[in-house]
Amino acid sequence: MLHFIGRRVVLMLLSLWVIATLTFVLMKSIPGDPFTSEKKYPPQTIANLKAQYGLDKSIPEQYVTYLKNLVTFDLGFSINNTSRTVNDMLSDGFPISAELGGYSVFLALCAGVLMGSVAALWQGRLPDYAMMILAVIGISVPSFVLAPFLQKYLGLEWRLLPLAGWGKPEQIILPASALALGQVALIARLMRSSMLDVVTQDYIRTARAKGLPPWRVVSRHTIRNAIIPVVTIMGPAIAAVLTGSFVIEKIFSIPGMGKYFVESITNRDYPVIMGTTIFYASFLILMNLIVDLMYGWIDPRIKVSGREGS
Amino acid sequence: MSTPILEIKDLHVSFKTYAGEVQAVRGVNLQLEKGETLAIVGESGSGKSVTAQSMMRLIPSPPGKIKKGEILFDGKDLTKISDKEMYQIRGSEIGMIFQDPMTSLNPTMTVGKQIMEGLMWHQRLNKNEAQHRAIEMLRLVGIPTPEKRVKQFPHQFSGGMRQRAMIAISLACNPKILIADEPTTALDVTIQAQILELMRDLQIKTETAIILITHDLGVVAETAQRVAVMYGGKIVETGKVEEVFYRSRHPYTWGLMGSMPRLDIERDEELSPIPGSPPDLFDPPKGCPFADRCPHAMHICHDEMPEVTEVIPGSHQVACWLEHSEAPSVGRGTMQVNIASK
Ligand SMILES: Nc1ncnc2c1ncn2[C@@H]1O[C@H](COP(=O)(O)OP(=O)(O)OP(=O)(O)O)[C@@H](O)[C@H]1O
Ligand code: SF4
Ligand SMILES: [Mg+2]
């Protein structure tokens, strides 16, 4: 178990270094810099500013400083908003994004598993067709198209839920649903096919031969085994929700990371771009590690969890 | 003859497929006595598993359906009772084990829980009692250190141990009948012998009646008291093991014996599998199902299904026109000569 996690942490650091380097290279190859703007500043001011952010040094030197700072978790100051460090922005915005993302992933998982199971159990009948249609819609309609729709009907016309904003529990429902729908569809489809595969397995026949009634067979044997492939796509699902949330936050005026991220790119705010990229990369890698550990727990045949083997 | 514990009368089972209706079982009659082992033999596709699964009402449905017939158990017709009543009987009164122990256990549940499940459902035991009993069952089926093993998952068991665990699951509630569908086919030869011995021991201890489906006539000879020979969805011959093995009356049984390896006689020639192929169950013949392959087939065999003849009343029965008083007398030896000369 410890051995497994240790190896994974080393791999994690390695991937982070690659990501950090790539971000750095990309950043440097974009034309322009944070001080490119319509207003003309005196050259001396620009030079001073560049010196303050270390942009006057040679590129290899900048790279080394950048890595050094990363290792000490010092992501530096924002260039556009000089009073704030990138760490400040992350601690302001990320909890909100994480909450929205967490609800979306949870919603996607519950709804997807439920819908997929229902479709499989009623295969070829009405619930199955209804689910398939919903899945096609969910996969083909992007969340930023769905979001205004939800706002228009549920928010404006029927006044069921608040249009936008953040802070009240009911304000989370629309953005979380918009964000989750695509994943609900993916998970539901995977769950359906996985269930259809599991119900033909010999051990399901064994469970039935024990005299368990159908609902007990389904709840204790079928779903438990069918959910294993779903767990494996949770990593990518979390990634999709996190990146999707940048746009959704904008649409629903949610003060999460999305705002900072989008602004930082239009302003070429190097420290913020690199800081948030690295932060999100580490977060996703960590989530993947957790998903892998979960996988070992849910499927005892996988030996990551350190259960004693035979 | 005492009243049988299970009696199947004129069972018909069909599967609806795109190509048409497969008539897998076409009028099977069987009796199972208390505490005996009845073997069902016959070549692949003859309807053995379908017959066994009908007794548990485990036929995949759709496409499968019991079209006709009765399965009498404990005064009830299992083909007619409600699903709820059937859940009470399955696992509790009739247990079943399957061919492949590698795939028959749930990989995500501990072996102990899989044994406990039936006990908690049927006998309303609490967790502790059930676990206690699960450990006891594992010990009974010869699994060492059962206290440790109950907490393990199937992948931590070897193939033979998994089949032992399957037996523990199926016998946990003390069923009156155990149906074993090729329980040793997927195992190594040495393990096969151990599992069969275990089943024999347990049968003596528990007085469970066993229906044993197998391809292996050696297994039948060692384990069963009675045999039913199936062909083309019908039972063509039944009787005590000695009757069917040494005084068999049906040409298909002769062929089956001829196609088995034997240790007691030296033979130079190859084993003689029965030439030809089994009948088309989409459109089964109206006469004897074996007529196309039978070296003794007469005109009537193709036109009309032979009646069951009681060779020894209440014990040895055979469905063959050769039993008719006007039929020529042929013997088992002729059959073997015929096959060998082909
Ligand atoms: N689910 C099903 N759908 C369609 N046909 C089926 C199904 N199950 C069984 N059959 C048909 O029923 C017939 C009898 O099958 P069964 O499994 O009882 O044979 P068996 O005697 O057990 O053979 P084996 O020795 O290979 O196990 C076969 O012709 C098979 O094709
Ligand atoms: S009834 Fe006729 S075809 Fe069938 S086994 Fe007897 S002799 Fe052969
Ligand atoms: Mg079979």
Side-chain angles (χ1 to χ4, degrees):
Chain A
M1 171 78 157
L2 280 179
H3 181 75
F4 171 80
I5 294 182
R7 217 179 52 214
R8 286 295 299 259
V9 168
V10 171
L11 278 175
M12 237 174 101
L13 293 176
L14 225 87
S15 354
L16 277 181
W17 172 69
V18 171
I19 291 166
T21 308
L22 277 178
T23 322
F24 183 84
V25 171
L26 283 174
M27 207 70 342
K28 292 294 157 195
S29 49
I30 297 178
D33 63 45
F35 309 109
T36 317
S37 67
E38 285 98 66
K39 257 201 272 173
K40 285 276 172 275
Y41 288 106
Q44 186 52 42
T45 318
I46 303 257
N48 285 345
L49 277 171
K50 283 197 169 177
Q52 192 193 334
Y53 287 96
L55 295 175
D56 55 340
K57 303 218 181 67
S58 72
I59 291 205
E61 271 176 304
Q62 286 184 34
Y63 176 67
V64 172
T65 337
Y66 161 72
L67 281 190
K68 264 193 204 146
N69 289 341
L70 267 190
V71 172
T72 56
F73 299 107
D74 175 8
L75 301 176
F77 280 87
S78 162
I79 291 176
N80 283 89
N81 198 341
T82 43
S83 59
R84 311 198 58 196
T85 64
V86 177
N87 282 336
D88 286 341
M89 291 179 169
L90 284 171
S91 62
D92 271 4
F94 185 69
I96 294 174
S97 295
E99 194 181 348
L100 175 63
Y103 278 114
S104 295
V105 170
F106 181 73
L107 181 70
L109 191 60
C110 295
V113 165
L114 188 77
M115 283 171 54
S117 307
V118 166
L121 293 173
W122 276 269
Q123 188 199 4
R125 277 173 279 174
L126 192 67
D128 191 16
Y129 294 126
M131 201 286 296
M132 296 293 267
I133 291 170
L134 222 80
V136 171
I137 295 174
I139 287 169
S140 46
V141 177
S143 57
F144 58 82
V145 174
L146 179 73
F149 250 96
L150 292 178
Q151 281 178 317
K152 178 165 194 282
Y153 288 101
L154 296 176
L156 271 180
E157 301 214 339
W158 304 331
R159 303 206 165 269
L160 292 174
L161 290 163
L163 255 188
W166 189 253
K168 296 199 212 88
E170 65 267 26
Q171 284 174 324
I172 223 166
I173 300 176
L174 283 189
S177 316
L179 201 46
L181 185 77
Q183 300 307 313
V184 171
L186 281 176
I187 293 175
R189 280 194 355 173
L190 186 62
M191 186 68 190
R192 176 182 179 274
S193 63
S194 175
M195 285 277 285
L196 289 179
D197 175 53
V198 168
V199 291
T200 64
Q201 297 292 315
D202 287 349
Y203 55 82
I204 297 300
R205 187 180 54 187
T206 306
R208 293 179 61 212
K210 280 181 210 170
L212 303 181
W215 55 270
R216 251 181 126 91
V217 175
V218 169
S219 62
R220 296 181 54 111
H221 296 269
T222 320
I223 290 185
R224 176 64 205 262
N225 282 285
I227 216 164
I228 292 173
V230 173
V231 174
T232 59
I233 66 150
M234 284 322 285
I238 293 171
V241 163
L242 278 184
T243 46
S245 81
F246 292 161
V247 180
I248 291 294
E249 283 173 13
K250 189 106 192 146
I251 297 176
F252 288 92
S253 11
I254 294 167
M257 275 316 289
K259 181 178 75 185
Y260 297 116
F261 198 73
V262 176
E263 278 171 11
S264 69
I265 290 179
T266 44
N267 295 333
R268 289 185 204 80
D269 195 340
Y270 288 171
V272 179
I273 297 177
M274 297 203 274
T276 41
T277 307
I278 295 293
F279 178 79
Y280 268 89
S282 345
F283 180 75
L284 280 180
I285 292 176
L286 189 72
M287 283 295 133
N288 271 320
L289 177 65
I290 292 175
V291 165
D292 281 358
L293 290 175
M294 288 254 304
Y295 191 42
W297 169 71
I298 207 158
D299 186 350
R301 284 163 299 186
I302 311 279
K303 278 204 206 102
V304 294
S305 55
R307 275 199 193 96
E308 134 200 33
S310 55
Chain B
M1 203 162 97
S2 59
T3 49
I5 176 168
L6 183 97
E7 189 168 10
I8 299 179
K9 287 185 180 164
D10 197 28
L11 182 70
H12 287 74
V13 185
S14 295
F15 293 90
K16 278 222 160 62
T17 66
Y18 290 111
E21 192 177 306
V22 186
Q23 300 180 29
V25 170
R26 308 182 294 130
V28 158
N29 292 288
L30 261 186
Q31 280 115 39
L32 182 69
E33 305 292 328
K34 202 165 182 282
E36 77 167 342
T37 298
L38 167 71
I40 304 180
V41 298
E43 62 190 9
S44 197
S46 56
K48 307 181 295 292
S49 298
V50 172
T51 305
Q53 284 169 19
S54 307
M55 299 178 213
M56 288 286 262
R57 254 182 36 198
L58 281 178
I59 306 249
S61 161
K65 190 167 187 268
I66 296 179
K67 298 287 262 201
K68 199 174 145 195
E70 294 174 1
I71 299 172
L72 300 173
F73 171 76
D74 209 14
K76 284 176 269 216
D77 180 355
L78 300 187
T79 63
K80 305 251 162 34
I81 59 173
S82 69
D83 284 347
K84 241 184 164 162
E85 280 175 286
M86 197 64 221
Y87 303 146
Q88 302 297 322
I89 291 176
R90 268 187 211 150
S92 155
E93 309 270 359
I94 308 179
M96 187 157 184
I97 55 180
F98 303 97
Q99 177 168 345
D100 192 352
M102 302 315 263
T103 56
S104 292
L105 292 167
N106 182 344
T108 59
M109 197 186 258
T110 62
V111 171
K113 282 218 178 95
Q114 298 189 51
I115 303 175
M116 287 155 66
E117 216 176 17
L119 291 162
M120 291 166 79
W121 168 248
H122 290 296
Q123 306 189 348
R124 303 282 157 206
L125 299 189
N126 67 32
K127 237 186 170 145
N128 267 333
E129 295 165 333
Q131 189 172 45
H132 208 79
R133 177 103 177 110
I135 293 173
E136 215 171 272
M137 284 311 298
L138 284 181
R139 185 172 293 126
L140 186 69
V141 297
I143 288 184
T145 60
E147 297 83 2
K148 201 175 119 219
R149 291 292 188 172
V150 274
K151 297 204 185 72
Q152 291 188 337
F153 289 90
H155 71 272
Q156 292 162 303
F157 280 47
S158 67
M161 274 165 67
R162 287 192 213 187
Q163 198 60 302
R164 285 173 192 264
M166 264 310 289
I167 295 175
I169 291 174
S170 61
L171 292 182
C173 297
N174 272 321
K176 299 195 182 79
I177 300 173
L178 176 66
I179 302 170
D181 191 349
E182 306 198 32
T184 58
T185 311
L187 301 172
D188 288 348
V189 184
T190 46
I191 312 284
Q192 281 185 12
Q194 291 170 11
I195 295 288
L196 288 169
E197 194 181 305
L198 173 70
M199 287 178 60
R200 276 195 299 271
D201 283 355
L202 289 178
Q203 183 173 37
I204 293 165
K205 282 189 201 146
T206 59
E207 296 189 324
T208 313
I210 297 179
I211 293 180
L212 177 71
I213 294 173
T214 177
H215 279 125
D216 188 339
L217 294 182
V219 169
V220 177
E222 277 177 60
T223 323
Q225 285 90 52
R226 284 200 309 125
V227 204
V229 181
M230 275 196 86
Y231 187 81
K234 287 176 181 286
I235 290 184
V236 293
E237 185 164 14
T238 42
K240 298 208 179 77
V241 169
E242 317 83 75
E243 291 162 352
V244 174
F245 273 50
Y246 301 111
R247 293 185 291 280
S248 65
R249 310 282 296 217
H250 197 283
Y252 174 66
T253 315
W254 299 339
L256 201 61
M257 304 281 167
S259 63
M260 282 299 296
R262 288 180 61 170
L263 296 176
D264 55 338
I265 51 167
E266 286 206 31
R267 46 161 86 234
D268 308 325
E269 81 264 43
E270 290 279 293
L271 287 175
S272 41
I274 308 165
S277 51
D280 177 11
L281 294 177
F282 286 108
D283 181 23
K286 59 182 191 295
C288 171
F290 193 51
D292 284 345
R293 298 165 81 184
C294 179
H296 310 294
M298 301 162 282
H299 284 302
I300 187 150
C301 300
H302 294 277
D303 297 335
E304 227 176 296
M305 181 62 206
E307 291 287 308
V308 171
T309 308
E310 303 264 345
V311 182
I312 296 173
S315 169
H316 190 184
Q317 298 162 331
V318 62
C320 175
W321 281 116
L322 290 175
E323 300 300 321
H324 197 269
S325 52
E326 284 165 32
S329 134
V330 289
R332 188 174 169 174
T334 348
M335 169 80 179
Q336 275 168 343
V337 170
N338 275 345
I339 287 171
S341 63
K342 278 200 181 173

